[in-house]
Amino acid sequence: MSGKPKLYYFDGRGKMESIRWLLAAAGVEFEEEFLETRDQYEKLLQGGSLLFQQVPMVEIDGMKMVQTRAILSYIAAKYNLYGKDLKERAWIDMYVGGTDDLMGFILMFPFLSAEDKEKQRAFIVQKATSRYFPVYEKVLKDHGQDFLVGNNFSWADVHLLEAILMVEEKKSDVLAGFPQLQAFKARISNIPTIKKFLEPGSQRKPVPDDKYVETVRRVLRMYYDVKAN
Amino acid sequence: MSGKPRLTYLNGRGRMESIRWLLAAAGVEFEEVYLETKEQYDKLIKDGFLLFQQVPLVEIDGMKMVQTRAIMSYIAGKYNLHGKDLKERALIDMYVEGISDLMQMILMFPFSPPDAKEKNLESIKDRATNRYFPVFEKVLKQHGQDFLVGNKFSWADVQLMEAILAVEEKVPAVLSGFPQLQVFKTKMSNIPTIKKFLQPGSPRKPPPDAHYVETVLKVFKK
């Protein structure tokens, strides 16, 4: 037993990617077990490892943690990325809630029909540029600090960078009207742990492809008929 | 200014109901502002009250808080309903998130198209009885304590209580296979703050009806 956290998920982004980002940002090495067959998943279920029969599942500190938000909150707190007090935590939670909603629109993207993908792409860009990015742009402009909350690197910064990069994959110039976010992106990307995660060979997963979609559908027997927002 | 938290939402359950439950359980009095027109909502956005242009909004301790989870975590933390350490908090978070997935199905139900309602109701019953309730039945059976986590009343207990009652409104005999949950429900009902919240005249909102659905669609019309 290595003592490292162990992640159980598909070999792809999905809901596990934010967890990979946060562990990496915290400088925590982790192991991964990839679900490739229905049998593997059923074995996990029968073994009682999945509290609500779902992945992500992360073995950490003697717990088999499920529920993405619970896992992320635990990691953030453990590695001091959750603010210094209840109020800072509240702001981090609010900001993460926003980027989570934004990334939620992208999460189901690979499962859409080609026609729905175009509709969803426009939807994602519209929400990013009119609802979410302006908020973070203003926060950074108003306090002039490097990080979103409390002048300290936190989960909110990691999550926002992840969201920015994901939206840029859908529209490469999406940060054109957001100078603060451009500077933020450059700054956070240069943090050593994050820089490392952004390099080839890291545990960061690529943009989901058809193989990923097929694997998820086959293993979970779900998500055959996903609609755009 | 009263110093009490102020909730802005529609006059109905939706995403605000879990927040009402938690504040009530913690014995915290609060005020409410009800959105009835699109104009009211547009004005809130224009005046910069809604960080992501969405409600729930809870004004508390000088903050205009949005994002349901953020709001509830803050309330739980402030009123000592979030466990005594990181590991207890992790368990509470896991339980709350699971229950919240079930509550999400109930939240969306009134908005399902008529031909999908029966299927969705079946899904709610199936998930409650096969995925969620068995977990909490087992947790309570294994440790034999009154509360889900750390032998102490927490956010997880409040959320489970809310979910049990919400499912029972749709599936009346849903607890028939769950003796521990039946006892749990009785115990929770007798906690003074919860007992008070369950009485007529409390801020608790009734199940969503056609008027509520109509108001939601009207206020949030694009």
Side-chain angles (χ1 to χ4, degrees):
Chain A
M1 246 244 291
S2 70
K4 292 181 194 169
K6 188 166 171 186
L7 281 48
Y8 292 76
Y9 201 68
F10 310 100
D11 186 4
R13 289 184 183 177
K15 285 191 187 282
M16 189 61 98
E17 194 70 352
S18 295
I19 294 169
R20 296 181 185 109
W21 266 91
L22 191 56
L23 284 169
V28 177
E29 282 183 26
F30 55 91
E31 293 173 355
E32 301 199 71
E33 184 162 310
F34 298 126
L35 290 183
E36 271 143 13
T37 68
R38 175 78 188 173
D39 274 352
Q40 260 178 296
Y41 172 58
E42 283 182 358
K43 211 152 152 253
L44 271 180
L45 282 175
Q46 276 145 32
S49 294
L50 307 180
L51 189 66
F52 301 115
Q53 303 155 0
Q54 298 163 316
V55 286
M57 191 269 278
V58 174
E59 285 173 332
I60 184 169
D61 297 339
M63 299 181 286
K64 288 182 168 54
M65 286 199 74
V66 298
Q67 291 292 332
T68 313
R69 253 326 182 42
I71 296 166
L72 288 168
S73 284
Y74 180 78
I75 295 166
K78 181 177 177 178
Y79 295 102
N80 294 310
L81 294 169
Y82 218 169
K84 71 178 198 294
D85 57 29
L86 209 55
K87 279 203 168 175
E88 285 194 355
R89 203 162 94 199
W91 285 108
I92 290 167
D93 280 342
M94 277 190 266
Y95 296 154
V96 161
T99 39
D100 196 42
D101 285 346
L102 177 56
M103 286 199 275
F105 304 134
I106 302 175
L107 192 78
M108 43 124 100
F109 186 88
F111 293 86
L112 301 172
S113 67
E115 189 194 325
D116 275 358
K117 273 183 171 135
E118 278 325 294
K119 252 191 357 187
Q120 189 75 356
R121 186 188 308 269
F123 179 84
I124 289 162
V125 170
Q126 194 260 334
K127 283 281 186 257
T129 53
S130 66
R131 176 171 288 185
Y132 296 103
F133 288 174
V135 170
Y136 305 103
E137 180 78 7
K138 181 171 194 277
V139 167
L140 292 166
K141 184 162 196 213
D142 283 352
H143 63 42
Q145 291 163 5
D146 285 357
F147 307 109
L148 285 171
V149 179
N151 210 8
N152 239 317
F153 182 53
S154 80
W155 173 20
D157 302 301
V158 182
H159 215 247
L160 176 57
L161 179 62
E162 183 189 1
I164 285 170
L165 296 183
M166 282 181 80
V167 179
E168 279 186 327
E169 281 165 354
K170 298 276 169 279
K171 186 171 195 279
S172 57
D173 62 349
V174 74
L175 284 194
F178 302 99
Q180 297 284 334
L181 292 183
Q182 290 173 38
F184 174 86
K185 176 190 161 190
R187 242 182 356 252
I188 306 301
S189 302
N190 276 316
I191 290 174
T193 49
I194 300 213
K195 189 169 187 170
K196 191 166 165 214
F197 188 62
L198 291 173
E199 277 160 9
S202 82
Q203 284 160 296
R204 188 181 180 212
K205 301 295 175 275
V207 179
D209 57 12
D210 288 341
K211 177 163 180 278
Y212 170 77
V213 170
E214 188 272 330
T215 305
V216 173
R217 284 177 169 160
R218 180 167 37 83
V219 171
L220 295 183
R221 295 181 183 161
M222 282 173 77
Y223 304 127
Y224 293 106
D225 191 27
V226 180
K227 298 276 182 285
N229 278 106
Chain B
M1 243 243 294
S2 71
K4 291 180 194 168
R6 187 158 76 173
L7 281 49
T8 300
Y9 200 69
L10 298 108
N11 186 359
R13 289 184 181 177
R15 291 188 187 282
M16 188 62 98
E17 193 71 353
S18 296
I19 295 168
R20 295 182 184 110
W21 266 92
L22 192 55
L23 283 168
V28 178
E29 280 183 27
F30 52 90
E31 294 172 354
E32 299 201 68
V33 172
Y34 298 125
L35 291 183
E36 271 142 14
T37 68
K38 189 175 188 312
E39 289 68 39
Q40 254 181 300
Y41 172 56
D42 288 344
K43 184 162 191 295
L44 270 179
I45 293 175
K46 194 157 143 278
D47 293 346
F49 272 69
L50 306 179
L51 190 66
F52 300 113
Q53 303 156 5
Q54 297 164 317
V55 285
L57 165 69
V58 173
E59 292 165 277
I60 184 170
D61 297 339
M63 296 181 287
K64 289 179 172 53
M65 286 199 74
V66 298
Q67 291 287 328
T68 313
R69 263 197 206 89
I71 294 165
M72 292 209 282
S73 274
Y74 181 76
I75 294 166
K78 182 175 177 181
Y79 295 102
N80 293 311
L81 295 168
H82 214 168
K84 72 176 196 295
D85 58 29
L86 212 53
K87 280 203 168 175
E88 284 194 355
R89 202 161 93 198
L91 267 182
I92 289 168
D93 282 349
M94 276 192 273
Y95 295 161
V96 159
E97 289 292 307
I99 298 164
S100 160
D101 285 347
L102 176 60
M103 293 296 287
Q104 175 76 5
M105 298 173 79
I106 297 174
L107 185 87
M108 299 308 297
F109 182 80
F111 301 91
S112 356
D115 58 357
K117 279 212 151 74
E118 197 181 324
K119 193 180 77 152
N120 289 343
L121 185 58
E122 248 330 286
S123 290
I124 289 169
K125 181 180 178 187
D126 174 59
R127 287 285 174 194
T129 49
N130 294 317
R131 176 170 287 185
Y132 296 106
F133 288 174
V135 169
F136 304 108
E137 179 78 7
K138 184 176 179 208
V139 166
L140 291 166
K141 188 166 192 196
Q142 283 190 334
H143 62 43
Q145 292 163 5
D146 286 355
F147 306 109
L148 285 171
V149 179
N151 208 9
K152 194 162 174 275
F153 183 53
S154 80
W155 175 16
D157 301 302
V158 182
Q159 189 66 84
L160 178 58
M161 180 62 178
E162 183 192 359
I164 285 171
L165 297 183
V167 177
E168 277 187 328
E169 280 168 356
K170 300 226 157 340
V171 187
V174 74
L175 285 196
S176 58
F178 302 101
Q180 298 283 334
L181 292 183
Q182 290 173 36
V183 170
F184 174 85
K185 177 188 161 190
T186 305
K187 285 194 181 134
M188 289 303 123
S189 307
N190 282 315
I191 289 175
T193 50
I194 296 195
K195 189 170 188 168
K196 191 168 166 211
F197 189 63
L198 291 173
Q199 277 158 1
S202 83
R204 189 180 182 213
K205 301 294 174 273
D209 58 12
H211 173 69
Y212 171 75
V213 170
E214 196 191 300
T215 310
V216 170
L217 295 175
K218 182 177 61 154
V219 169
F220 299 121
K221 192 165 74 155
K222 298 203 194 318

